[in-house]
Amino acid sequence: MTVRSATAADATALGGLRWRRLAEERGYTGTDRDEFLRHFAGWVADHLSSHLPFLAEVDGAVVGMAWLMVADRVPTPAGRARRSGDVQSVYVVPELRDSGIGAELLAAVLAEAGKLDLEHVTVHSSERAVRFYQRVGFQHDRRWLRWQPV
């Protein structure tokens, strides 16, 4: 198994994982897969400066992905180049879950966050994955609030 930074050339494989996740988790049965993959490839190309993809491969097959979204923060007199991150779309194919692939993907994401000197990294987790994130140091924060439109 290898984990590496993904590029625009990997966009179709990443889009395929995104499609598969939606089908598995939400029962999506759309017939527009090819159109979605084209859209997704364009989105990846347009967002590589802010959304850093990582992928996992086993025997040449893409089996997992994770993304680090990097956002610029408002500067302060003491911190003029401030950035934070958000872990997004961590996914491993079901047949290989609990084999360490997700942990390797997350390790790559957090190593990149460290290299980028991000102030903090957040994640919006599924119920199933909360303990997974807590094992590497994510924790609940009483000051973190969320707003959603009604």
Side-chain angles (χ1 to χ4, degrees):
M1 188 259 305
T2 59
V3 170
R4 64 176 174 83
S5 294
T7 68
D10 299 306
T12 300
L14 293 165
L17 289 175
R18 190 78 172 128
W19 180 275
R20 184 172 175 180
R21 179 182 188 171
L22 187 61
E24 289 168 4
E25 293 178 1
R26 298 199 180 127
Y28 185 71
T29 58
T31 58
D32 59 338
R33 186 175 190 275
D34 290 340
E35 179 185 327
F36 171 74
L37 293 178
R38 282 189 297 279
H39 171 80
F40 194 84
W43 184 91
V44 169
D46 289 345
H47 290 83
L48 279 176
S49 64
S50 62
H51 290 72
L52 311 178
F54 295 83
L55 59 79
E57 297 173 305
V58 172
D59 297 327
V62 176
V63 298
M65 68 176 173
W67 297 73
L68 176 62
M69 188 274 302
V70 178
D72 289 325
R73 296 180 48 99
V74 177
T76 68
R80 298 184 185 195
R82 301 175 63 217
R83 294 188 295 175
S84 64
D86 188 62
V87 176
Q88 298 182 349
S89 297
V90 177
Y91 175 79
V92 175
V93 295
E95 59 272 20
L96 292 176
R97 287 187 187 144
D98 300 318
S99 66
I101 294 171
E104 290 293 324
L105 282 163
L106 188 56
V109 166
L110 295 177
E112 185 67 19
K115 288 179 199 170
L116 295 173
D117 198 27
L118 302 183
E119 288 184 8
H120 65 265
V121 177
T122 59
V123 65
H124 180 250
S125 179
S126 68
E127 194 67 36
R128 177 186 186 275
V130 168
R131 291 177 49 97
F132 167 72
Y133 291 110
Q134 288 175 326
R135 280 195 299 268
V136 298
F138 283 88
Q139 52 191 294
H140 295 280
D141 186 329
R142 292 180 301 140
R143 296 176 299 155
W144 201 258
L145 305 173
R146 177 179 72 171
W147 176 86
Q148 288 184 300
V150 192

